[in-house]
Amino acid sequence: MRKQVEGSAAVAEAVALARPEVICAYPISPQTHIVEGLGERVKSGSLTPCEFINVESEFAAMSVAIGSSAAGARTYTATASQGLLFMAEAVYNASGLGLPIVMTVANRAIGAPINIWNDHSDSMSQRDCGWLQLFAETNQEALDLHIQAFKIAEELSMPVMVCMDGFILTHAYEGVDMPTQAEVDAFLPPYEPRQVLDPAEPVSIGAMVGPEAFMEVRYLAHAKQTMALERIPQIAAEFKQRFGRDSGGLVRPYRTEDAETIVVALGSVLGTIQDAVDEMRAAGVKIGVLGIQSFRPFPLAAVRAALQGAKRVVVLEKSFSVGLGGVVSTDVRLALSGLQLHGYTVVAGLGGRAISKASLVRTFTEATSDSLQSLTFMDLDWRIVNRQLEREAATRRSGPIAENLLRDVGSIASKVT
Amino acid sequence: MTTPIKFYQTGTFTVGNRLLTPEQRSVQSSEERSNALNSGHRACQGCGEALGARYVVDAAMRATHNQLIAANATGCLEVFSTPYPETSWQLPWIHSLFGNAAAVGTGIAAALKVKAQKNGTANNVRVIAQGGDGGTTDIGFGCLSGMFERNDDVLYICYDNEAYMNTGVQRSSATPMGARTATTMAVGAHPGAPAGQGKNLPQIAMAHEIPYVATATVADLRDLEAKVEKAMSIRGARYLHVLVPCPLGWGSASHDTIKLARLARETGLFPVFEAEHGEVTAVTQLRHPVPVQEYLKLQKRFAHLFGPKGDAQMLARIQADADRNIRRFKLLEQEA
């Protein structure tokens, strides 16, 4: 059924259709609307039997999820930004214990300075934690990926993060096609845990492991992600067959067949990039886009296959590895090892900075003439950056950076002397 | 038929307490005990925590007809009982992290509730969560307070040995004043743990007005078992704080574990009581309060308080603390 709803509401509905048995939640922007929607369903009795637990922190949220998943309940939580970092210790633990928890990450920047708007710094900070990370481009994809996520998680007994851009998707109203309960039930069987805390068959979960087995356990985590590389596209194909929509899989190529320049990106920015690419194609530029939907496991082979015919690759990313450059770029370059391609990293949209089609076209045009810096910060205001660098060189105590920059752009008043 | 014998402390001095009437006997004297924390683990000789945990878990097993799941914090108890691929636990058991045993317990309880609802069965499986004083009073405090506040159906047991023993005896917020640890050294003008710091977790638990809070020691094992059984007869958040001497961390003889636990109670330093919904309902009274020196002298962690360069001032403060507990909890037996 077609519905015009907020992205968060669409996700709440999709999660409810998956019949979770335990939901734990701590509020953090821009995730809140999702768990509010689920809390309302549990309270009103429309989602039953289900326990909705209001916890005191994100660390507790993931810890409750660990307990309930280990005891055999289908478990869901959602978070963002500082919240994901606060639960990081338990995030690693959930995957180490092989618990198929599904979690939405409403992607948001990480402070300081505190900033509630969208970029991908939060989930990228957890890229090595052993969770699968699936990125949604649209609200329809976010909805569909959640239903697929439970199936992938439970088949492989490993946790899945569904990443969707905070505000851009979570707070945007779009038309989505909502599956029926019967359709979801037919696609997603009840959760059958691989190991469960049960007095009838006692097991010890989470024993201390020494050097004699730890490496092997960690290797097996990798082996499971390799299995996920196969299952994710299979489950996406099954989803398409049942629901008639292509949403899921590893990568999404767009006009890449004959492209000399290919832009790689994740999440909601893909739509804007496709528009920019259409515009440049109309002007005769051979350019295409490769959307990455599965960031973990990283589909090295699929990325290599999609990019190897190009002359240059531009990775546009909304996260940043301070001291190096791009986060996704590192993985893309690994996929391209041995190929003679020009590679560019474009960091854009940090902390919610708007990514305009005009800026994208300008940046990609520079790339096609190979006049782009290998590491570019799109729409960075060099004027205020340089002024602060001069200030720091001249004065030992130059004051708080963000406040200085805001004063430079006239956002806050200077001190009256 | 055995002749009933009146013991001052049942379960401590009575070997296997088989001389007692059956209903007074400890779970451990029964051949049908669950042995939920099995022998063969790697605890130190004289470990109070191993003893306490064994009695607590077996009593909880009996109270629940073996329908019990345990969540464990990181710490000595977890490390000595589960060196992979071995385990001493004969009940479903999970260890996740140092600071989240209470929250993991909450999650298990929630899952059990839904499962029972789904299957249309009674929710008979019960949950305990357990940790040391570090995992309880410090790093796990937030999760524990959350579990209390929501009144989740979990019995949380803190095995208090008054410092971080698993990492080499560092101070915790349950370390008593004057005690030497690796981070409160016996040096300087004020050696040992500073006075006026630390948390009284049983009282903090009481402030949450949860259904049941109790303290116990491994010197009074029958009392410990009775408190576990009582706790398991109640639904909701419950807290049991067990004093478990640590020969390694306290610098005491392995054979003095029980003696020290008893002296901690008899000096008044560790008041043994029960509280329901925030009100004290029962205390274990003292016949004759023992001077704190008798307790402290047996432990190397307090050695710097004695001898020619001793610390009479600190000893007086510790004694005053014990006296305050005796007054506050009305620990002295009233004359008939």
Side-chain angles (χ1 to χ4, degrees):
Chain A
M1 190 177 56
R2 197 94 185 136
K3 272 187 177 178
Q4 184 76 11
V5 289
E6 194 195 38
S8 297
V11 167
E13 180 70 22
V15 170
L17 288 170
R19 299 186 188 274
E21 293 159 309
V22 175
I23 297 169
C24 30
Y26 186 81
I28 182 163
S29 297
Q31 156 265 42
T32 46
H33 292 183
I34 302 171
V35 293
E36 284 167 12
L38 287 162
E40 196 275 333
R41 280 174 176 79
V42 175
K43 186 91 179 171
S44 68
S46 69
L47 175 55
T48 185
C50 181
E51 283 288 298
F52 186 90
I53 302 170
N54 285 297
V55 287
E56 69 283 1
S57 74
E58 287 91 351
F59 175 67
M62 187 46 64
S63 302
V64 169
I66 287 169
S68 74
S69 186
R74 182 172 286 166
T75 304
Y76 172 83
T77 187
T79 191
S81 185
Q82 319 291 141
L84 181 61
L85 265 63
F86 191 32
M87 68 164 65
E89 189 192 9
V91 167
Y92 270 74
N93 204 258
S95 56
L97 294 175
L99 299 172
I101 299 159
V102 171
M103 173 164 72
T104 310
V105 176
N107 286 110
R108 172 186 146 186
I110 296 169
I114 187 169
N115 171 298
I116 63 162
W117 291 276
N118 166 250
D119 69 34
H120 293 164
S121 308
D122 49 5
S123 55
M124 291 299 166
S125 77
Q126 301 299 305
R127 62 167 192 194
D128 303 328
C129 69
W131 284 55
L132 304 186
Q133 280 195 24
L134 307 177
F135 274 78
E137 182 189 332
T138 61
N139 281 341
Q140 183 70 62
E141 251 184 39
L143 187 166
D144 295 345
L145 282 177
H146 277 87
I147 296 166
Q148 294 176 48
F150 280 102
K151 196 175 172 89
I152 298 164
E154 289 167 15
E155 270 194 22
L156 296 167
S157 203
M158 61 200 301
V160 180
M161 268 178 220
V162 180
C163 304
M164 64 190 293
D165 285 318
F167 295 110
I168 299 169
L169 293 182
T170 55
H171 286 56
Y173 281 74
E174 278 185 344
V176 292
D177 206 345
M178 193 64 70
T180 64
Q181 185 68 64
E183 285 171 326
V184 175
D185 286 347
F187 177 74
L188 180 64
Y191 172 35
E192 281 181 40
R194 203 164 285 198
Q195 55 175 10
V196 65
L197 296 166
D198 179 5
E201 216 178 315
V203 288
S204 292
I205 299 176
M208 173 142 184
V209 172
E212 69 280 11
F214 191 80
M215 286 263 292
E216 286 71 15
V217 174
R218 295 308 291 159
Y219 172 79
L220 289 168
H222 177 68
K224 275 221 275 189
Q225 290 247 344
T226 312
M227 284 155 68
L229 272 181
E230 287 178 24
R231 279 309 281 150
I232 290 168
Q234 287 165 0
I235 287 171
E238 195 188 322
F239 187 89
K240 187 184 177 187
Q241 201 187 1
R242 284 178 185 272
F243 298 89
R245 281 191 301 280
D246 205 356
S247 50
L250 301 172
V251 293
R252 184 70 57 82
Y254 179 77
R255 304 187 83 165
T256 52
E257 298 77 27
D258 60 338
E260 291 174 355
T261 305
I262 298 179
V263 182
V264 178
L266 314 91
S268 64
V269 74
L270 282 166
T272 320
I273 296 174
Q274 283 161 10
D275 284 351
V277 161
D278 286 344
E279 195 175 305
M280 291 173 75
R281 278 275 178 182
V285 184
K286 288 186 173 176
I287 185 167
V289 194
L290 182 71
I292 294 180
Q293 280 173 307
S294 167
F295 178 61
R296 282 295 178 274
F298 192 79
L300 286 171
V303 170
R304 187 181 176 90
L307 299 180
Q308 62 185 357
K311 286 183 181 163
R312 64 187 72 78
V313 175
V314 181
V315 183
L316 186 119
E317 47 190 319
K318 293 163 84 170
S319 61
F320 175 37
S321 174
V322 183
L324 174 67
V327 182
V328 186
S329 305
T330 314
D331 295 355
V332 170
R333 278 173 203 192
L334 182 63
L336 298 178
S337 59
L339 299 179
Q340 296 302 308
L341 268 74
H342 287 286
Y344 300 97
T345 295
V346 178
V347 176
L350 296 187
R353 175 73 52 95
I355 297 177
S356 70
K357 193 173 75 174
S359 293
L360 289 174
V361 170
R362 194 188 64 243
T363 306
F364 300 157
T365 305
E366 280 179 38
T368 53
S369 62
D370 288 323
S371 60
L372 192 68
Q373 295 279 322
S374 64
L375 175 61
T376 298
F377 290 81
M378 198 174 84
D379 294 336
L380 184 74
D381 190 338
W382 284 103
R383 195 175 47 92
I384 63 169
V385 167
N386 286 333
R387 197 174 298 172
Q388 177 66 16
L389 290 173
E390 282 165 24
R391 195 181 282 131
E392 292 200 14
T395 325
R396 205 173 133 255
R397 300 177 65 187
S398 55
I401 297 170
E403 280 76 359
N404 281 339
L405 301 187
L406 290 171
R407 194 172 292 119
D408 288 342
V409 296
S411 272
I412 53 173
S414 307
K415 191 177 168 188
V416 179
T417 50
Chain B
M1 182 101 185
T2 51
T3 319
I5 303 168
K6 206 165 182 190
F7 286 94
Y8 172 51
Q9 277 182 309
T10 56
T12 302
F13 296 116
T14 54
V15 180
N17 55 30
R18 289 193 178 87
L19 293 175
L20 293 168
T21 53
E23 63 273 15
Q24 279 185 294
R25 286 177 197 167
S26 134
V27 174
Q28 298 298 323
S29 69
S30 160
E31 286 176 7
E32 276 84 51
R33 67 176 185 264
S34 59
N35 247 349
L37 173 57
N38 221 337
S39 56
H41 56 66
R42 301 176 184 189
C44 303
Q45 193 175 29
C47 173
E49 188 176 37
L51 176 68
R54 179 181 172 83
Y55 272 74
V56 164
V57 179
D58 277 351
M61 287 287 270
R62 183 167 76 174
T64 59
H65 306 287
N66 300 341
Q67 298 299 296
L68 190 68
I69 296 175
N72 213 120
T74 310
C76 280
L77 180 60
E78 167 260 328
V79 170
F80 75 62
S81 64
T82 65
Y84 180 83
E86 296 160 19
T87 181
S88 285
W89 299 98
Q90 307 300 305
L91 79 167
W93 179 95
I94 183 170
H95 158 250
S96 171
L97 295 166
F98 197 6
N100 71 356
V104 172
T106 294
I108 297 168
L112 294 172
K113 193 174 166 191
V114 175
K115 289 280 156 199
Q117 230 173 312
K118 234 174 194 175
N119 301 332
T121 52
N123 185 14
N124 286 334
V125 184
R126 307 293 299 281
V127 186
I128 59 169
Q130 47 189 359
D133 50 298
T136 305
T137 68
D138 292 337
I139 196 169
F141 182 68
C143 286
L144 183 65
S145 178
M147 185 208 103
F148 288 163
E149 167 258 322
R150 291 183 301 266
N151 199 24
D152 296 324
D153 189 22
V154 178
L155 167 62
Y156 189 98
I157 306 118
C158 171
Y159 302 104
D160 181 7
N161 55 23
E162 304 189 327
Y164 289 85
M165 302 315 187
N166 189 44
T167 44
V169 196
Q170 296 85 14
R171 172 213 177 266
S172 81
S173 59
T175 298
M177 61 177 161
R180 181 260 301 142
T181 70
T183 49
T184 56
M185 272 73 86
V187 295
H190 302 286
Q197 294 188 0
K199 293 180 194 173
N200 186 331
L201 207 54
Q203 291 204 306
I204 295 171
M206 282 169 62
H208 289 75
E209 304 199 352
I210 55 175
Y212 186 69
V213 173
T215 64
T217 78
V218 288
D220 305 88
L221 292 166
R222 184 68 197 103
D223 173 68
L224 176 62
E225 287 179 342
K227 283 168 177 167
V228 171
E229 284 187 40
K230 182 163 181 184
M232 295 317 288
S233 73
I234 301 166
R235 291 274 177 168
R238 291 142 289 146
Y239 180 71
L240 180 59
H241 193 101
V242 191
L243 185 73
V244 291
C246 169
L248 176 81
W250 292 17
S252 56
S254 297
H255 55 76
D256 275 346
T257 296
I258 304 295
K259 187 177 183 181
L260 281 167
R262 191 169 60 252
L263 284 170
R265 178 176 68 73
E266 290 182 341
T267 52
L269 283 172
F270 188 85
V272 173
F273 64 94
E274 288 177 289
E276 291 173 45
H277 302 286
E279 304 291 338
V280 175
T281 51
V283 298
T284 304
Q285 292 191 312
L286 312 178
R287 277 179 163 180
H288 311 289
V290 175
V292 293
Q293 275 94 332
E294 287 191 32
Y295 169 65
L296 303 175
K297 267 185 175 167
L298 294 171
Q299 308 173 47
K300 286 204 187 95
R301 63 176 174 158
F302 294 111
H304 57 280
L305 303 182
F306 299 96
K309 282 177 72 184
D311 191 340
Q313 212 182 341
M314 180 57 86
L315 282 172
R317 285 200 69 161
I318 297 172
Q319 185 62 58
D321 226 33
D323 294 344
R324 191 189 56 168
N325 281 340
I326 291 169
R327 283 196 308 277
R328 183 189 273 174
F329 290 95
K330 301 182 177 67
L331 297 179
L332 273 183
E333 277 181 326
Q334 305 296 313
E335 295 297 327

